[in-house]
Amino acid sequence: MSAVASASASAARPRARRSSAKRRRNTIGWNILGLVLSVLIAFPVYWLLLTSIEPTRYVQSASPNFLPKAFSLSSYTEVFDDPVFRQDLVNSLIITASTVLFSLLVGFFAALALARFRFRGKSLAIIIVMGVQMVPLIALLFPLNDVLAKAGLGDTQLGAIIAYVAFTAPFTVWTLRTFIANVPRELDEAALVDGCTRFQTFYKVILPLTLPGLVATGVFGWIQAWNEFLMANILLTDNSKQTVQLYLVSFGNSPTHGADWGGLMAASTLVSLPVIILFLIFQRWMASGLTAGAVKG
Amino acid sequence: MSAVDIIEIDDPPSRNPAPTRRRLLGGAGREAGALPYLLLIPTGLVLAAVIGYPLVQLVIMSLEKDGSSSKFTGTPFVGFAEYQKVLSDSVFWSSVERTVIFAGANVILSLLFGLGLALLMGRVSKSVKLILTVVLMFVWSVPTTVSTELFRWLFDAQYGVVDYVLGKVGLGSYAQHDWFADPNQGLQVASFIIIWGAIPFLTVTLSAGLAQIPKELLEAAKVDGASAWQAFRNVTYPFLKPLLVIVTTLSVIWDTGVFNQIYILRQTHPEPGYYTLGIYSYVKAFATIYGGDNYSYGAAMAIIMVLLMGVFMVGYIRQLLRIGQEG
């Protein structure tokens, strides 16, 4: 018996060693695959940056350089010297920041209602808020443009902000709802017992505990609003009111910038920068925000 | 998050509050009269103004005679005439076909890549995982306007790096190749942009879902002699399914509604070979240079699109309702 056991044990040990060696070899294989894929996925971004810092004569060359040969900021200064770009940058900042603040404020109230109360018509409220995602934006553009014009908000930044708030609402409300639902109800009840009013429990108990959720949701809202193109393209026609996204696309189309790929890539980099910075700062929070919204429910 | 855990552990009785305490609160724990409705008013107002009212307008417009320039005034009611026009339009049907194939391919490919990368993230060492995550975050943060202009540059016929590399590796016919002359090839470039842009969200979400699967289960499967595929099929997949339903639905919605990538890739003047439903309805309604400004026609088409999307949305909304009722 014991002989058999020790024999099988000694047979098992090398197998275990072999399998751990195999696993290590596998990990090396997976690591190589992971690195190759990282390089492939990152390549377009690398090319964006490379093109933007190369002098034009290298950009327009039959055999492109894969490593920077010379460094020049002329593409960036070209974009920055354009007063239209600077104006559009300011417009984008105003529209995006207002959208985020407004949608967090409005969305927090709705999220409270959905996370903390049972009431008649709750299912209907969820269907309406989340159903917004179902409506193809393009379908609504023509009547929306007309409705805003009738309300005196045609071709105004306020009109665009209100439209953006509506279209960021499903995400904002649902994510905040999840964060609020994760705050134990007992805390509200304890606060109520201690004599807080309902509104005091909202801003003294729930608000501070959902602060990470507000930041994550706000960052996402910022990205959605900053990156938006389709609505801005229709709602903002006046040159002085447009956003950087519109600037970028019209730069890409203008005959004067025909093959000015360096300038286009510099403008692209500048347009992406505010979002990239936010992503890198809030990466950890964003991941937790997403998981909260998508996985835990 | 950890604060939440601590409170729950320190205070187990509070999980089941005594009935006296419930009564003490006057039932305020859940039922609170008008308060939830008041809280919903601001969102309700914004949605009514930006989505509800325009949707009603859309329906009305779709039932009116096409008034080109007169738009909303004095156009007589013509019933379903515009719908008939849409449904008997061969360009509409070829757009539907193109949209289904294009979106279907993009959804499947981006989900396969996303899931594959998510599974890979669980196997690589920490440092490689960090590199992958940083790369994905960078890609994620690139706006579609930028990614489209960028790919237009990568695939440029004159100085584009893709043609250069293809020419170098022996595919000489691709040197100076114009990818956009043939719309089907141009749409493949659009697919690259869409999949490249979708991978970060899918990978990060799915790998978060994978991380929640108990390790013991996967190890138990291995001990029982399950192959990698069997372990995936019988352990990983059932756990991941609810999340897969959500990300698939979202992918279907996004990929069916794709607009920017095609519109900007074709420098805001897409040729008929590039018409997906979104592009075609836009062209019909807005682009006067195409003889457009057919609001009623565009409206009828838009409503058909909304109904088509609605079919996909039913399962998704039901999932959300189930979650919402738990709260």
Side-chain angles (χ1 to χ4, degrees):
Chain A
M1 232 358 195
S2 72
V4 173
S6 71
S8 75
S10 64
R13 223 173 293 128
R15 199 188 304 146
R17 208 177 302 137
R18 219 179 307 136
S19 85
S20 86
K22 195 175 149 209
R23 195 176 307 155
R24 210 173 308 127
R25 221 173 321 122
N26 276 348
T27 306
I28 292 173
W30 294 127
N31 280 345
I32 292 170
L33 182 62
L35 287 175
V36 169
L37 287 174
S38 301
V39 169
L40 282 178
I41 296 173
F43 180 77
V45 178
Y46 171 72
W47 206 248
L48 170 84
L49 296 173
L50 185 66
T51 309
S52 74
I53 57 153
E54 278 195 317
T56 314
R57 69 197 143 95
Y58 287 119
V59 174
Q60 297 182 352
S61 132
S63 54
N65 305 312
F66 285 85
L67 292 170
K69 259 195 186 163
F71 180 80
S72 149
L73 282 178
S74 62
S75 295
Y76 284 95
T77 49
E78 174 203 338
V79 173
F80 253 114
D81 283 345
D82 185 350
V84 181
F85 176 77
R86 294 200 301 266
Q87 174 68 52
D88 288 355
L89 198 62
V90 173
N91 294 345
S92 270
L93 283 171
I94 293 171
I95 292 176
T96 308
S98 320
T99 302
V100 169
L101 288 178
F102 194 23
S103 81
L104 281 181
L105 184 72
V106 169
F108 184 73
F109 289 132
L112 265 178
L114 294 181
R116 278 297 192 251
F117 298 98
R118 282 181 200 279
F119 55 94
R120 281 173 67 93
K122 184 172 170 181
S123 296
L124 184 68
I126 294 177
I127 289 175
I128 291 175
V129 174
M130 301 312 288
V132 169
Q133 289 181 94
M134 181 180 113
V135 182
L137 242 182
I138 300 162
L140 276 189
L141 279 176
F142 4 111
L144 177 59
N145 196 24
D146 188 66
V147 168
L148 288 175
K150 274 188 197 155
L153 295 171
D155 202 10
T156 64
Q157 290 172 348
L158 183 60
I161 292 165
I162 294 172
Y164 284 10
V165 169
F167 281 96
T168 49
F171 182 83
T172 311
V173 172
W174 197 255
T175 316
L176 287 178
R177 187 210 76 91
T178 313
F179 277 101
I180 295 171
N182 281 339
V183 175
R185 226 180 263 283
E186 290 75 27
L187 289 183
D188 306 22
E189 288 171 1
L192 284 172
V193 171
D194 289 348
C196 280
T197 65
R198 275 235 160 247
F199 274 101
Q200 281 172 327
T201 64
F202 292 162
Y203 70 77
K204 284 190 175 161
V205 179
I206 298 178
L207 193 62
L209 285 173
T210 44
L211 205 59
L214 284 167
V215 173
T217 317
V219 171
F220 267 107
W222 178 283
I223 293 168
Q224 274 183 297
W226 182 270
N227 289 358
E228 208 286 324
F229 168 76
L230 181 53
M231 276 190 280
N233 190 33
I234 295 296
L235 299 182
L236 300 169
T237 47
D238 192 307
N239 266 335
S240 65
K241 288 169 186 155
Q242 295 189 331
T243 64
V244 278
Q245 305 295 337
L246 297 177
Y247 176 84
L248 182 66
V249 173
S250 64
F251 188 105
N253 291 341
S254 75
T256 47
H257 294 298
D260 183 9
W261 294 107
L264 185 63
M265 292 302 113
S268 294
T269 308
L270 292 171
V271 166
S272 315
L273 219 52
V275 175
I276 292 179
I277 292 170
L278 275 181
F279 248 98
L280 293 183
I281 296 175
F282 291 106
Q283 199 235 96
R284 196 176 293 262
W285 287 23
M286 309 264 298
S288 78
L290 262 183
T291 353
V295 185
K296 289 184 195 155
Chain B
M1 241 23 131
S2 63
V4 171
D5 294 339
I6 291 161
I7 288 155
E8 282 196 294
I9 291 159
D10 282 351
D11 193 15
S14 67
R15 277 163 179 264
N16 292 309
T20 47
R21 211 174 132 198
R22 251 279 128 98
R23 221 173 302 131
L24 181 77
L25 291 168
R30 304 251 161 142
E31 307 279 350
L35 190 53
Y37 300 104
L38 287 176
L39 291 170
L40 282 168
I41 283 178
T43 300
L45 280 179
V46 173
L47 292 183
V50 176
I51 292 158
Y53 184 57
L55 257 181
V56 174
Q57 288 276 8
L58 188 71
V59 175
I60 296 173
M61 270 188 326
S62 74
L63 298 171
E64 282 174 343
K65 187 175 179 301
D66 222 325
S68 7
S69 55
S70 61
K71 269 203 245 180
F72 302 100
T73 48
T75 39
F77 179 81
V78 292
F80 291 98
E82 289 296 329
Y83 289 87
Q84 270 171 355
K85 248 204 263 174
V86 172
L87 293 176
S88 58
D89 175 2
S90 64
V91 182
F92 169 76
W93 285 110
S94 65
S95 310
V96 171
E97 193 192 339
R98 193 172 293 115
T99 308
V100 170
I101 296 171
F102 181 65
N106 291 341
V107 169
I108 292 169
L109 288 174
S110 52
L111 277 171
L112 282 179
F113 270 108
L115 185 59
L117 265 180
L119 288 168
L120 184 65
M121 294 264 261
R123 275 158 222 265
V124 295
S125 61
K126 270 217 171 83
S127 49
V128 176
K129 189 175 173 177
L130 182 70
I131 293 171
L132 262 172
T133 310
V134 170
V135 166
L136 291 176
M137 287 295 157
F138 262 100
V139 174
W140 198 341
S141 53
V142 174
T144 52
T145 50
V146 169
S147 63
T148 309
E149 296 289 16
L150 170 58
F151 274 70
R152 201 160 66 78
W153 164 223
L154 292 174
F155 283 85
D156 181 52
Q158 213 178 348
Y159 305 118
V161 66
V162 173
D163 283 359
Y164 173 77
V165 170
L166 287 177
K168 274 282 165 219
V169 297
L171 296 162
S173 59
Y174 278 98
Q176 309 261 311
H177 175 70
D178 182 355
W179 289 85
F180 305 108
D182 173 8
N184 288 334
Q185 239 176 33
L187 285 173
Q188 282 168 26
V189 177
S191 281
F192 272 120
I193 306 173
I194 291 161
I195 295 167
W196 185 73
I199 283 176
F201 166 76
L202 293 172
T203 306
V204 171
T205 314
L206 289 174
S207 77
L210 286 173
Q212 299 215 328
I213 298 172
K215 285 248 176 350
E216 306 83 58
L217 280 179
L218 286 168
E219 267 155 29
K222 204 178 278 169
V223 169
D224 290 346
S227 67
W229 166 248
Q230 283 171 324
F232 175 81
R233 179 74 193 76
N234 298 315
V235 181
T236 309
Y237 177 72
F239 261 95
L240 215 54
K241 206 182 154 200
L243 188 58
L244 275 173
V245 170
I246 291 184
V247 295
T248 308
T249 319
L250 287 175
S251 299
V252 169
I253 297 170
W254 292 334
D255 291 355
T256 314
V258 157
F259 179 84
N260 294 359
Q261 287 89 338
I262 299 173
Y263 182 72
I264 298 169
L265 199 58
R266 294 315 299 133
Q267 300 195 267
T268 69
H269 295 96
E271 299 85 350
Y274 287 92
Y275 285 176
T276 57
L277 273 177
I279 299 280
Y280 186 45
S281 73
Y282 179 91
V283 162
K284 272 286 185 186
F286 287 111
T288 37
I289 48 159
Y290 293 93
D293 211 7
N294 294 313
Y295 276 89
S296 298
Y297 189 95
M301 200 152 108
I303 286 173
I304 295 172
M305 272 167 70
V306 173
L307 295 177
L308 284 177
M309 300 283 265
V311 178
F312 289 110
M313 289 296 292
V314 174
Y316 176 65
I317 295 273
R318 264 169 53 190
Q319 177 86 5
L320 293 179
L321 278 180
R322 205 176 51 75
I323 296 168
Q325 288 304 343
E326 283 163 12

